[in-house]
Amino acid sequence: MIILSKLIYQTYRFLFDIKYFARQIKDAGYEEDDIDLVLKNANSLYKSFFGVKSEGDDEKNKEKIKKAHLKAGEILEQLKHLKCKEDRFINEKVDLIVESFSIKEKTEVLLSKTNLV
């Protein structure tokens, strides 16, 4: 349960950071389509964990975690290809890339376990 709880909290923080980054990008006059897609996927990533329980149906849990794993991978790729004019947002972008990679790796670990405790 500890790993799952920490991952859900990390994903919540990540969603908050993505929202803040999106606001900065939009306020600076960047294209909104790319960041809107990242934001949509971050929301979906967080919602993937709704209903995941430490006890119960492992198959349902694994399907939800698998969805989260795929979304984290999509976000990772989208962030890698997100164009930041100048170097104005490079630090924030790198932090988000690292965080999405971490979430992707942790979901992979959870998928490899049969019990989420």
Side-chain angles (χ1 to χ4, degrees), residues 16-113:
F16 180 81
D17 291 343
I18 287 279
K19 286 180 178 182
Y20 182 74
F21 181 69
R23 172 64 59 124
Q24 286 182 308
I25 292 284
K26 289 177 182 181
D27 287 350
Y30 284 68
E31 280 295 319
E32 295 183 16
D33 292 343
D34 291 340
I35 195 63
D36 283 344
L37 184 57
V38 172
L39 186 55
K40 179 181 173 190
N41 282 330
N43 275 315
S44 181
L45 169 65
Y46 179 63
K47 289 178 182 177
S48 296
F49 288 105
F50 290 0
V52 175
K53 299 174 184 164
S54 62
E55 296 177 5
D57 190 348
D58 276 350
E59 287 305 311
K60 284 184 181 179
N61 285 343
K62 281 196 174 207
E63 282 302 312
K64 291 178 182 198
I65 294 169
K66 185 176 181 179
K67 181 181 176 185
H69 179 72
L70 293 173
K71 283 295 172 187
E74 286 178 31
I75 293 167
L76 177 62
E77 290 305 312
Q78 290 166 344
L79 286 170
K80 284 181 184 177
H81 295 97
L82 185 69
K83 302 286 188 240
C84 285
K85 302 170 195 163
E86 313 152 15
D87 289 333
R88 187 170 173 190
F89 298 106
I90 196 70
N91 291 334
E92 292 90 344
K93 179 182 165 183
V94 169
D95 288 346
L96 292 171
I97 287 172
V98 168
E99 196 69 23
S100 61
F101 179 78
S102 173
I103 292 170
K104 182 177 177 278
E105 291 297 305
K106 287 177 182 173
T107 55
E108 192 170 318
V109 168
L110 279 176
L111 284 172
S112 70
K113 296 181 181 231

